[in-house]
Amino acid sequence: MGRSNRAARGGESADTTGPTGPGGRTHAQGPLTRQVGSGLAELRPDQDRPFAWSLLIDGAPQSLVDLADPTRLGFEYQRRLGHLVDLAAPPGRPLTVLHLGGGALTLARYVAATRPRSRQQVAEIDTALTELVRAELPLDRSWQIKVRGGDARSVLERTPEGSVDLVITDVFSGARTPAHCTTVEFTTLAARALAPGGWYTANIADGGALPFARSQVATLAAVFPELCLLADPAVLRGKRFGNLVLAAAHTPLPVADLTRRAASDSAHARVEHGRPLADFTAGATPATDATAAPSPAPPPGVFR
């Protein structure tokens, strides 16, 4: 689930166009709706970019893909995850990435375009959605992206220990993160999958007093010694419902570099770390398999 930002940022543009443009669905074909496992999927052409498409599930924005430029990240939360991808290793160095939640595979495309030869696995439970995306918004055949149909936690449980550099969690059922993907036990599995120096990242959504986000920070802090949070200042002040991106690791995160990127981005974000982040948690308790609940439902009209 995401909020669109028209001034999207990417890395160096990858030339994926042929003589008449990239492959895949064209705007001349118009929007497409199809029932998939998670609801009614809609591919909606982007008004500003001739080869870009938004994916919505039951009206909730899920992904934005520019077939002509996979480095273009249109949703604010994806841009923040993109900053983390950029800083996870020196520019261009391949990464081994596990994506929990696939959608239209926007972040997997970004990693493949900015870090050639990266090896990526995507866990997407909705196989009908994956089939739709592959048919209408096809991947470059040279990209090493394997999409596995299955529950994110089940795939994480089967991931070999110390095998991935980056875990990106963007798991939504409709507009809510399922409870079983928000717990200390789930986070422990992610930490186990990480290679030395690897990072865990997650996109969540909350509003108001942010009780879910505060609990998620406490949950990550129960497993990782280093963590930070990126979000729109209005979301952090409880002024609107929106996305928050979390990052965690066993080694120090590049908070200064991340802060500079987030501040200079057109979708300005604040980075919380250290004592301010501990204060933000405000005594919230970690979620466990016995106590967890899904993330809150967005308020009516939030996507209009």
Side-chain angles (χ1 to χ4, degrees), residues 4-50:
S4 179
N5 182 68
R6 293 295 182 188
R9 183 235 6 123
E12 292 298 320
S13 295
D15 182 8
T16 61
T17 59
T20 58
R25 191 171 185 83
T26 67
H27 282 198
Q29 294 173 278
L32 172 68
T33 57
R34 184 174 299 171
Q35 194 69 35
V36 295
S38 51
L40 184 65
E42 179 183 2
L43 290 178
R44 184 180 296 173
D46 189 282
Q47 296 179 354
D48 296 334
R49 304 183 188 96

Side-chain angles (χ1 to χ4, degrees), residues 10-198:
E12 292 298 320
S13 295
D15 182 8
T16 61
T17 59
T20 58
R25 191 171 185 83
T26 67
H27 282 198
Q29 294 173 278
L32 172 68
T33 57
R34 184 174 299 171
Q35 194 69 35
V36 295
S38 51
L40 184 65
E42 179 183 2
L43 290 178
R44 184 180 296 173
D46 189 282
Q47 296 179 354
D48 296 334
R49 304 183 188 96
F51 302 108
W53 295 85
S54 292
L55 168 67
L56 297 88
I57 304 291
D58 289 338
Q62 301 289 326
S63 303
L64 191 150
V65 169
D66 190 337
L67 292 172
D69 183 2
T71 69
R72 193 179 296 277
L73 300 176
F75 287 170
E76 294 174 3
Y77 86 87
Q78 290 177 333
R79 291 157 66 77
R80 290 159 193 155
L81 288 169
H83 293 319
L84 289 162
V85 170
D86 293 343
L87 292 170
R93 177 183 293 178
L95 292 173
T96 301
V97 184
L98 175 61
H99 301 262
L100 301 177
L105 308 174
T106 304
L107 265 296
R109 298 169 198 264
Y110 181 83
V111 173
T114 60
R115 296 183 175 278
R117 302 180 306 283
S118 290
R119 298 174 61 190
Q120 302 186 76
Q121 180 174 214
V122 181
E124 174 53 64
I125 196 170
D126 192 337
T127 55
L129 175 61
T130 299
E131 290 172 4
L132 173 66
V133 168
R134 284 189 176 278
E136 303 294 340
L137 308 176
L139 300 170
D140 187 307
R141 292 184 179 180
S142 69
W143 293 340
Q144 299 181 60
I145 300 173
K146 174 187 279 188
V147 183
R148 178 171 294 181
D151 174 76
R153 180 155 171 174
S154 296
V155 171
L156 187 57
E157 288 171 346
R158 297 194 299 271
T159 301
E161 183 175 356
S163 63
V164 299
D165 301 309
L166 185 63
V167 174
I168 299 177
T169 301
D170 189 16
V171 181
F172 282 85
S173 176
R176 306 180 72 181
T177 301
H180 71 294
C181 295
T182 67
T183 67
V184 170
E185 292 87 346
F186 176 88
T187 307
T188 300
L189 289 171
R192 174 183 172 276
L194 291 175

Side-chain angles (χ1 to χ4, degrees), residues 140-290:
D140 187 307
R141 292 184 179 180
S142 69
W143 293 340
Q144 299 181 60
I145 300 173
K146 174 187 279 188
V147 183
R148 178 171 294 181
D151 174 76
R153 180 155 171 174
S154 296
V155 171
L156 187 57
E157 288 171 346
R158 297 194 299 271
T159 301
E161 183 175 356
S163 63
V164 299
D165 301 309
L166 185 63
V167 174
I168 299 177
T169 301
D170 189 16
V171 181
F172 282 85
S173 176
R176 306 180 72 181
T177 301
H180 71 294
C181 295
T182 67
T183 67
V184 170
E185 292 87 346
F186 176 88
T187 307
T188 300
L189 289 171
R192 174 183 172 276
L194 291 175
W199 296 356
Y200 174 77
T201 65
N203 172 48
I204 61 172
D206 201 2
L210 304 174
F212 178 75
R214 297 177 196 278
S215 175
Q216 285 301 285
V217 172
T219 300
L220 266 62
V223 178
F224 292 101
E226 299 288 336
L227 62 156
C228 67
L229 177 152
L230 299 86
D232 185 309
V235 173
L236 287 173
R237 291 196 300 269
K239 299 297 184 182
R240 69 171 179 86
F241 189 93
N243 297 85
L244 304 95
V245 169
L246 302 170
H250 287 291
T251 55
L253 294 161
V255 174
D257 289 339
L258 189 57
T259 300
R260 283 192 290 270
R261 285 173 176 259
S264 61
D265 197 307
S266 57
H268 174 70
R270 202 166 83 207
V271 178
E272 297 289 2
H273 174 262
R275 181 56 185 269
L277 186 57
D279 292 342
F280 170 84
T281 307
T285 58
T288 68
D289 283 349

